[in-house]
């Protein structure tokens, strides 16, 4: 089951989730699963931005994140 921050839908929050969002933002991802985008929008502002990547990476590193992840 996907959860907040789980951009690739594998059920885990990892660096690969951040990489998936980075690829999407850089137009490097040819196919995007639209249903997973809502999980990648960590701050839930309706936009997928680099700050969402930062929050995912902070979570993976065990640092404080202002939004619930996972």
């Amino acid at each position: 089951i996907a959860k907040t921050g789980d951009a690739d839908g594998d059920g885990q929050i990892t660096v690969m989730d951040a990489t998936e969002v980075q690829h999407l933002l850089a137009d490097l991802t040819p196919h995007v699963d639209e249903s997973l985008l809502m999980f990648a929008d960590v701050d839930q502002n309706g936009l997928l931005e680099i700050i969402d990547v930062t929050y995912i990476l902070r979570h993976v590193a065990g640092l404080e994140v202002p939004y619930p992840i996972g």
Side-chain angles (χ1 to χ4, degrees):
I1 293 178
K3 44 193 158 189
T4 302
D6 186 13
D8 61 10
D10 69 355
Q12 300 177 14
I13 312 301
T14 67
V15 172
M16 291 310 299
D17 296 300
T19 301
E20 183 75 20
V21 176
Q22 288 172 321
H23 284 179
L24 177 65
L25 293 174
D27 290 326
L28 298 174
T29 303
H31 176 273
V32 177
D33 185 344
E34 298 285 332
S35 67
L36 294 177
L37 293 183
M38 66 180 192
F39 295 107
D41 182 14
V42 175
D43 60 9
Q44 299 179 353
N45 68 351
L47 302 170
L48 198 53
E49 304 169 299
I50 198 66
I51 193 67
D52 296 303
V53 173
T54 301
Y55 292 146
I56 293 169
L57 290 174
R58 288 182 63 84
H59 173 78
V60 169
L63 301 173
E64 185 177 332
V65 179
Y67 299 93
I69 294 181

